[in-house]
Amino acid sequence: MSLFKRHTNYTVLVGYMEHYGTLPEDAPQIKAALENTEQLVDYSLEKMDIAIDFDGAVAISKVGLQWLDYAKAHPDNPQGYAATAKDILENQ
């Protein structure tokens, strides 16, 4: 059993979103961060020690923006998209 957590595109997304706030309160700030794929690549490398390429950043951004749309439509359950986001990013 490894003592190190395995980072995936999904864990990068969750960490990145949490870095910029909470849903749904900070949705505009999170949205702006998700739209900045260069910043997302830098965050992934510097904060999570995982290198992602441009295509990975675009995929993470796209799923994150879909999550924000879900959170806006379901303010009572903004985390309800988590399983879908994980499935998309880890099984594509």
Side-chain angles (χ1 to χ4, degrees):
M1 183 172 152
S2 175
L3 297 175
F4 299 102
K5 182 175 182 175
R6 179 179 162 259
H7 289 296
T8 64
N9 284 353
Y10 174 73
T11 63
V12 170
L13 172 61
V14 171
Y16 191 66
M17 289 173 60
E18 288 175 353
H19 183 75
Y20 287 96
T22 58
L23 288 175
E25 298 85 1
D26 300 310
Q29 183 174 319
I30 295 169
K31 182 177 190 270
L34 286 167
E35 291 173 339
N36 187 336
T37 53
E38 186 174 311
Q39 184 174 301
L40 179 53
V41 169
D42 291 343
Y43 171 87
S44 176
L45 189 57
E46 294 169 11
K47 302 288 187 191
M48 305 206 65
D49 199 29
I50 180 175
I52 58 172
D53 60 12
F54 177 75
D55 291 338
V58 168
I60 292 168
S61 173
K62 182 178 175 182
V63 171
L65 293 170
Q66 290 169 344
W67 194 336
L68 290 178
D69 288 343
Y70 177 93
K72 184 176 181 180
H74 302 90
D76 55 322
N77 183 24
Q79 296 303 319
Y81 193 76
T84 301
K86 184 174 185 176
D87 183 56
I88 292 168
L89 290 173
E90 293 186 359
N91 298 310
Q92 37 180 322

